[in-house]
Amino acid sequence: MSLLHAFYCWGHVGVVVLSTLYFALAGTGRWALLPVLWAVLPLCNMVLFARVPLCTLAGDEHHTPLRALLKSKMIWLFLLMMVCAGASEQGMSQWASLFAETGLKVPKAMGDLLGPCAFAVMMGLSRTLYGIWGARISLKRCMAVSCLLCVAGYAAAVFAPWPLLSLAGCALCGFSVGILWPGTFSLSMVHCPEGGTAMFALFALAGDVGCALGPGVVGAVSGMAGGALKAGLLAACAFPVLLLLAVSRLRRRPKGEQ
């Protein structure tokens, strides 16, 4: 699961690098052409997906109905975890470029490379490392430590006295959030083994809600603070803290969990 999600990060890096190269060659005045060029990717995905064989999930014939899922306290706990995972990730990722530009006073191209690109590289690195060595590590313990590192990364970005150290905090956030999304999926399969495809659809929806909520909170709080981006990033610390509290609620160790 972690290795699978790592390829999202490498795609993220590719988009940032190629878009930055496009702006360097064509100029920002021709930005409207860039989304048209990137639209080729989903078209290719459509063709590839049409050729993918669809298999039934093991044990899916015993899945829990959606109505019963929504009555489960455990499902709601995991939904909260997915919201917080998405918000912790995108709260920093979506604002990293502007943060780099304003903090280091660098052009947009350099801000993109030092901000979201570095964030994505570190996130992909953490997912790849866990995919290789994760079988030896307790997933819940790893997620708890990652939440603490995420808070530390946000705090460094906000309170560090030097801009480069603030950017290091951004990168630390990228590394720490890597395991949160796929880790929540993996834990849910252990704690709710009969959830079925409906459960994963709910989790994907909750994660996307978090991806919108995180940057939204950062922007709203920054606006109320007179445009102080660091105030918004400080408010986003609430998401990894909530996720840490949710992980701590998973005290029972089902059979098969590390």
Side-chain angles (χ1 to χ4, degrees), residues 74-252:
M74 186 63 69
I75 291 297
W76 284 101
L77 182 64
F78 278 110
L79 287 173
L80 173 64
M81 291 171 63
M82 286 301 302
V83 169
C84 292
S88 298
E89 175 185 321
Q90 295 300 318
M92 177 64 77
S93 177
Q94 291 297 314
W95 289 96
S97 178
L98 178 62
F99 187 76
E101 290 178 52
T102 56
L104 292 179
K105 309 297 182 184
V106 296
K108 174 175 170 51
M110 186 60 67
D112 288 341
L113 295 177
L114 293 176
C117 189
F119 181 96
V121 168
M122 295 301 291
M123 183 165 61
L125 178 62
S126 68
R127 289 176 173 178
T128 301
L129 292 176
Y130 189 86
I132 296 172
W133 290 301
R136 311 173 190 176
I137 308 171
S138 166
L139 178 55
K140 284 195 295 189
R141 191 173 297 125
C142 182
M143 288 186 65
V145 171
S146 294
C147 289
L148 293 174
L149 287 176
C150 188
V151 173
Y154 272 100
V158 172
F159 296 112
W162 303 291
L164 284 177
L165 190 55
S166 293
L167 281 178
C170 293
L172 178 60
C173 278
F175 187 83
S176 64
V177 301
I179 193 59
L180 300 184
W181 185 299
T184 301
F185 266 80
S186 296
L187 283 177
S188 71
M189 288 188 284
V190 176
H191 287 267
C192 309
E194 296 184 356
T197 53
M199 179 182 74
F200 294 112
L202 284 175
F203 290 164
L205 174 61
D208 290 338
V209 168
C211 288
L213 182 62
V217 167
V218 174
V221 174
S222 298
M224 289 186 290
L229 182 55
K230 288 188 175 182
L233 293 176
L234 181 61
C237 285
F239 296 114
V241 171
L242 281 174
L243 182 52
L244 176 61
L245 294 175
V247 171
S248 69
R249 296 280 295 176
L250 300 175
R251 295 174 182 174
R252 183 182 175 187

Side-chain angles (χ1 to χ4, degrees), residues 52-58 60 197:
V52 173
L54 300 180
C55 303
T56 303
L57 291 174
D60 198 45
T197 53

